[in-house]
Amino acid sequence: MEKVLVSACLMGRRVRYDGRAKTSADARLAAWREEGRLVPHCPEVAGGLPVPRPAAEIEGGASGAAVLAGAARVLASDGSDVTAEFLAGARSALAAARASGVRVAVLKEGSPSCGSLSIYDGTFTGRRAPGQGVTTALLERNGIRVFGEDQIDEAAAYLRTLET
Ligand code: SF4
């Protein structure tokens, strides 16, 4: 059975920067959980950041790939540099995925770690721009397909192709 890496906050864990969860009500995620498919993970907490913590964004509107390449930093809203923690979190997510043979992930859209289609643009003004978070960029680079929580149909279809 194919396992699915999933953002821990989508599964009700209170690991977000504001100390809350972002629990998904999606029936398929619930079914996958019942089947024992899910591997919940929070890269930012795994990377050593506390809960709660200041919001963070990738500087200059850059994407996760630029952070992996050392060309952009991840900065918290208080100005501190949390790049190292984000990189450690991404590596931790990849290790968790590999340990379970994961080839597909459903991660929280918009996050500087977990976003897959869009992330905040680095201005802390609530604006999003197309791009991937740091963890998503590392997972995709290593052959793991990442879908947002609004793309569970696509994730399920991809999962079926892996299991047939
Ligand atoms: Fe959720 Fe990912 Fe942010 Fe952790 S890093 S709180 S799993 S979106």
Side-chain angles (χ1 to χ4, degrees):
M1 181 175 64
E2 291 283 336
K3 300 267 185 134
V4 179
L5 188 76
V6 61
S7 290
C9 58
L10 293 176
M11 302 314 297
R13 300 205 187 161
R14 297 165 65 87
V15 288
R16 296 185 78 223
Y17 74 96
D18 58 4
R20 297 183 180 177
K22 199 78 178 177
T23 311
S24 169
D26 188 275
R28 212 140 8 168
L29 276 186
W32 288 346
R33 172 150 64 180
E34 285 300 306
E35 292 169 3
R37 269 188 204 276
L38 297 184
V39 180
H41 190 80
C42 175
E44 292 174 23
V45 168
L49 292 171
V51 181
R53 54 189 175 276
E57 299 189 6
I58 301 172
E59 65 179 343
S63 193
V67 178
L68 295 177
R73 298 174 298 170
V74 187
L75 299 176
S77 57
D78 63 3
S80 56
D81 183 344
V82 288
T83 308
E85 288 85 350
F86 271 66
L87 289 170
R91 287 192 292 269
S92 163
L94 179 60
R98 283 183 167 158
S100 294
V102 161
R103 294 190 283 175
V104 56
V106 174
L107 303 186
K108 177 77 192 75
E109 194 55 83
S111 153
S113 291
C114 293
S116 53
L117 295 176
S118 69
I119 53 175
Y120 291 99
D121 70 356
T123 61
F124 294 98
T125 56
R127 282 200 308 257
R128 287 196 197 184
Q132 296 182 328
V134 181
T135 292
T136 296
L138 187 65
L139 294 177
E140 293 239 317
R141 179 173 295 183
N142 285 277
I144 297 163
R145 287 282 303 276
V146 179
F147 299 88
E149 74 274 21
D150 295 327
Q151 296 180 293
I152 297 182
D153 285 348
E154 291 93 326
Y158 184 63
L159 206 54
R160 279 195 295 277
T161 69
L162 294 176
E163 292 188 325
T164 51

